[in-house]
Structure formats: structure tokens, C-alpha cells
Amino acid sequence: MRPDEARKSKFGVGSVTRFYIPLLLQGFSQSLAYPLVAGIVTHGKHGVDALTAFSQGQMVMFMIGAIGGGLITTGLVFAKTWMGYVAFKRLNALMMAALLSVQCIVAMPPFSDWIFSGLFNLPKELAHIASLTLLFAAVMNGLFFLRNVPMVVLFNNLDSAKANYATLIRLVVTFALAVFFPRFGLVGPWWGLTALTFGVGVELVATWLFARPYVAQLPNRPKAEDKQPLPNIPRLTLEQFRFTLPLSLGGFLLMLSPVAIAAFVGRTVDPKDMLAIHYVTLGVANPVAYAALRMQTVAIKFPPEYAGDRRLLAYAIVAGLLLGIVPLVFSTPLIGEWYFGLYQNVPPRIISTARLVIGLYSLIAVVQMIRARVEGLAVLAKRPKIIMAGQIAYTVSLFAVCAILLPMGVPGWAMAVTAIYIAPVCVTSTIYAMLALKRSS
């Protein structure tokens, strides 16, 4: 078996569903951890404003981590044998060390001042919270990188269920801490970050335990008595780096989107209220969107079986419509008033707007599902540069929408919703067009 040989399966609604549902639950539950700890953060000294600072500190962390965002996709393509696995582990470790160093440097003055006081226009006290969140979140980001390796092993063996079990364990732990901490007065950004980090650590341990049997079964693994070094590892590591580089650069550009939105929304009328609406609604919309983006992994594992095979596209649209029920539920008076008003401690004056915004996000899963499916096609074609081009289109379109709407006096929440819908449409169109061009040339 070649190092880059992928394990694929035949399409069937049942087989796709069995593989996708654990991925969906994993993407949903991973993102659900953040609104869970929001209840810890918002009941601290600075109320809902602390959530803005906390979220922006983490947003910069995820932006830096996104430079390694192509690693899991790279592992899905290359880490199929022992040598490919070892090369992937080495690449993952090198990128982790480099990016965590960058994160710690950026969290220090003058960089933190430029970002949080300058770009995000945060008051001094909130900017300080954001910079410390970014610095101490390096531990959590490191755990995310370490999790890449066992996660890839599970996905490559079509055992997405066990990856989901590990994430559910993380969610249970995080939920328990979200209940426990406030009862003992342990509230504010630092306790929120502690809850998140501990949950990710538990998930990492569980994922490794689930993946170990599969690692032992990897093809071309050297025997215990063989002490010779593996000669192809440096070459394979370099090959994987070249593959992941366009994905990583594209991921970095992609993660610029929430930074760009926050920078524009922070300059609209009533910026504190607009940012609060933006972040509390994303706490519901993001889990749905991330669950939808897991369709990329499904598209890699269930490739088209003949020319014009669009069965997975139809599946993705239906699944996206079903996922859209979640934000619709949060827009109802009963659930919306409880979640935004009681749990998230949102001021009463903006609760109705928050409910409206989350209702508008009910179709975002469909848009992201279609995008993820076409990105999977680009991965199967081993065209990472096309994916990067799509992500460039995402960033450019998002900036363009915000730049056009800001001088028009559009409310910050409406600007954010518009940009978040238009940008993935631009990604999908770009990748479809470039894949069609490649096929015709």
C-alpha cells in the first residue's frame, strides 16, 4: 500500500449516515463547549463584555492554529502506513512548536496592544483580558495539535464513532465544570479558560486510548528487533508539508474572517451591543456550521463512483436543512429568552435582536455543507491550491461585504450575518469553477 493511499467506501445512505453522524455530533459538541463556558465568563466582574474580550483572545488563538488547519486533511491522505504515520507525527510536532511560539509572542506587547486595543478597539481593561486569554490558551492549543494524530488514525479507519465518544467525554466534563464553578463563585475568563482546557485534555487522553489498537495494525510497521532508522521519513515529511502548506495558508486566511468581522462590527453604532449579539449568536450558529463542515471528511471517504455522481450533494443539502432546525429552536421565545437572557446574561434590550439573528442563521448549515462537499472533491483530486484559492475568495468577499456595508450605516449584526452567508458561497463557486477548468484543460 502506498503512503498516500486512501481507504474509500461505496456510497449508501446508511453507510454515509453511520460515518457522518458521529462526525456531526463531534463537530457540534466540540463547538458547544464554548457557549457552555460562556456562562462562567459572563457571570464574572465584567459581565457580557468579558465574553467579548475572552472570545477575541481565543479568536486570535484559532487564527494562529488555523495555519496548521490542513494537518488533519493531510493525515487523511498520507498517514495510511507506518512510515506515513510517523512522518505525519513529525510534521504535526514541528508545526505545533512553531505556532505555539508565535501565539506566545503575539500575546505580548506591543503586538497584543496593536491587535486588541488598536484593531479591535477594546478598552484597556478588556484588551488586557484578551491578551492574557491568548497567552494562557497556548496550553489548550497545544492539546488540540496533539489530538490531530489519534484523530486522523480513527478517521482513516472509518471509526468516527470513537472520535465522537472522546469529544462527548470532553463535553460532559466541560458541562460539569460549567455547573460546578459558578456554584462556588469560580467565575470570569480565567475559570472559563480552565474549564475548556481541562476538557480538551480529557478528550486527548480518550482519543489516544481509542486509536492505539489501530496504530499497532498500520502496514509496513518495522518489527521490534529492527533497529534501522526509517530512511524515507524526512522525504515523506517534506512531501506532506508541501501538501499541507496551501491548506494551512488558506486556513489562516479563513480564520481572518471572524477577526475582520469583529473589527468592522466594533466600528458600527452601539459597538458593544453589536459585538455582544454577534458573539452570543455565533455560540449557537458555529456548532451547527462546524458540524456541517465535517461533510468534507465524508466527501473524502465516499468519493464519486462515476461521472456526474451527485448523490452525496443531495445528501448534504437534506442534512443541512435538518441541522437548520437547531438555530430555529433558539429563535423561539421559550428557548431564546432562557438561553440569551438567563444563561448568557444578555441585556434585555438586545435579546429580541439576538433571537432574530439566530433565526437568520437557520440556512447556514446548507451553505456550509455544499461548500464542504466541494472542498472534499478538491482534496481527492490532490489540488490543495484550489482549496486555498477558495479560502482566499472567502476572505476577500467577507472584507468586501463589510467594507461596503459599514459606510452605509448597516447595523453590526446585519453586516455580520450578510458576510457570513456570502463568503462560503464565494468559496463554493471558486472551487467548482477551478475544478471544472482543470478537467477541461
Side-chain angles (χ1 to χ4, degrees):
M1 183 185 292
R2 292 167 43 206
D4 62 345
E5 188 176 336
R7 180 178 174 184
K8 303 178 180 72
S9 297
K10 296 288 186 181
F11 179 90
V13 173
S15 56
V16 170
T17 301
R18 283 191 295 272
F19 183 68
Y20 176 59
I21 284 182
L23 290 175
L24 179 153
L25 293 174
Q26 185 190 44
F28 188 82
S29 56
Q30 280 181 348
S31 300
L32 193 59
Y34 300 96
L36 276 179
V37 303
I40 300 174
V41 177
T42 56
H43 284 83
K45 177 182 176 182
H46 299 283
V48 75
D49 291 338
L51 180 61
T52 297
F54 184 73
S55 299
Q56 290 183 342
Q58 288 191 85
M59 186 166 55
V60 176
M61 178 200 78
F62 285 122
M63 185 180 70
I64 294 169
I67 300 176
L71 284 168
I72 287 184
T73 302
T74 300
L76 290 175
V77 176
F78 289 93
K80 294 297 187 178
T81 66
W82 176 255
M83 287 192 295
Y85 168 77
V86 172
F88 176 69
K89 279 181 66 177
R90 179 176 294 185
L91 174 64
N92 188 68
L94 290 171
M95 293 192 71
M96 176 182 71
L99 294 175
L100 292 183
S101 298
V102 171
Q103 180 174 338
C104 292
I105 292 170
V106 170
M108 303 290 187
F111 305 104
S112 59
D113 295 332
W114 295 343
I115 295 170
F116 298 116
S117 298
L119 178 63
F120 291 142
N121 199 29
L122 288 177
K124 184 176 180 180
E125 196 167 11
L126 294 183
H128 181 64
I129 292 173
S131 62
L132 288 181
T133 299
L134 175 60
L135 177 63
F136 292 111
V139 177
M140 182 171 66
N141 210 11
L143 296 174
F144 282 137
F145 274 101
L146 293 174
R147 191 191 63 183
N148 285 343
V149 177
M151 196 77 74
V152 161
V153 171
L154 292 174
F155 288 164
N156 277 339
N157 286 275
L158 298 178
D159 201 347
S160 55
K162 286 182 180 174
N164 180 53
Y165 297 155
T167 302
L168 290 177
I169 293 171
R170 168 191 169 189
L171 189 62
V172 169
V173 170
T174 306
F175 176 76
L177 294 178
V179 173
F180 174 81
F181 281 2
R183 288 188 178 181
F184 291 87
L186 306 178
V187 292
W190 319 127
W191 289 108
L193 185 60
T194 299
L196 281 176
T197 304
F198 187 80
V200 176
V202 172
E203 180 189 29
L204 171 63
V205 172
T207 309
W208 265 116
L209 292 174
F210 289 141
R212 283 181 65 186
Y214 294 120
V215 174
Q217 298 168 11
L218 283 169
N220 78 17
R221 181 170 183 168
K223 297 179 180 179
E225 62 271 14
D226 188 359
K227 303 299 182 182
Q228 293 285 336
L230 298 174
N232 291 329
I233 296 304
R235 179 183 61 80
L236 288 173
T237 303
L238 181 60
E239 181 184 0
Q240 291 183 23
F241 177 71
R242 287 172 175 166
F243 182 85
T244 201
L245 190 59
L247 298 175
S248 298
L249 293 175
F252 176 77
L253 291 173
L254 191 62
M255 285 305 297
L256 278 176
S257 60
V259 177
I261 291 175
F264 279 102
V265 172
R267 285 163 172 78
T268 58
V269 178
D270 297 325
K272 281 190 175 182
D273 284 353
M274 294 299 103
L275 283 170
I277 292 169
H278 176 55
Y279 285 121
V280 296
T281 54
L282 281 186
V284 177
N286 274 347
V288 172
Y290 290 150
L293 286 172
R294 295 289 182 164
M295 184 55 61
Q296 184 189 109
T297 304
V298 179
I300 295 170
K301 292 300 176 184
F302 293 86
E305 297 171 27
Y306 51 84
D309 184 1
R310 294 184 175 84
R311 290 175 296 172
L312 188 61
L313 175 60
Y315 182 97
I317 293 172
V318 174
L321 290 171
L322 292 175
L323 273 177
I325 295 172
V326 175
L328 275 180
V329 167
F330 278 85
S331 69
T332 61
L334 179 63
I335 303 298
E337 294 287 339
W338 170 81
Y339 178 76
F340 294 116
L342 182 62
Y343 186 75
Q344 294 288 16
N345 202 27
V346 170
R349 65 180 179 276
I350 59 174
I351 290 177
S352 61
T353 305
R355 285 177 45 216
L356 169 64
V357 171
I358 198 58
L360 293 174
Y361 280 130
S362 59
L363 290 177
I364 195 64
V366 176
V367 177
Q368 297 288 21
M369 282 273 192
I370 296 172
R371 165 196 166 185
R373 184 253 180 185
V374 73
E375 285 179 340
L377 295 179
V379 171
L380 288 169
K382 291 195 174 179
R383 301 285 185 180
K385 291 182 180 179
I386 290 180
I387 297 178
M388 185 176 72
Q391 292 166 343
I392 290 172
Y394 185 101
T395 307
V396 170
S397 61
L398 189 144
F399 267 94
V401 169
C402 291
I404 291 169
L405 296 182
L406 180 62
M408 295 172 62
V410 173
W413 65 263
M415 180 192 301
V417 171
T418 304
I420 286 170
Y421 266 104
I422 290 178
V425 171
C426 291
V427 175
T428 306
S429 302
T430 300
I431 295 178
Y432 262 125
M434 293 186 72
L435 284 175
L437 187 62
K438 288 287 183 181
R439 285 193 293 266
S440 63
S441 61

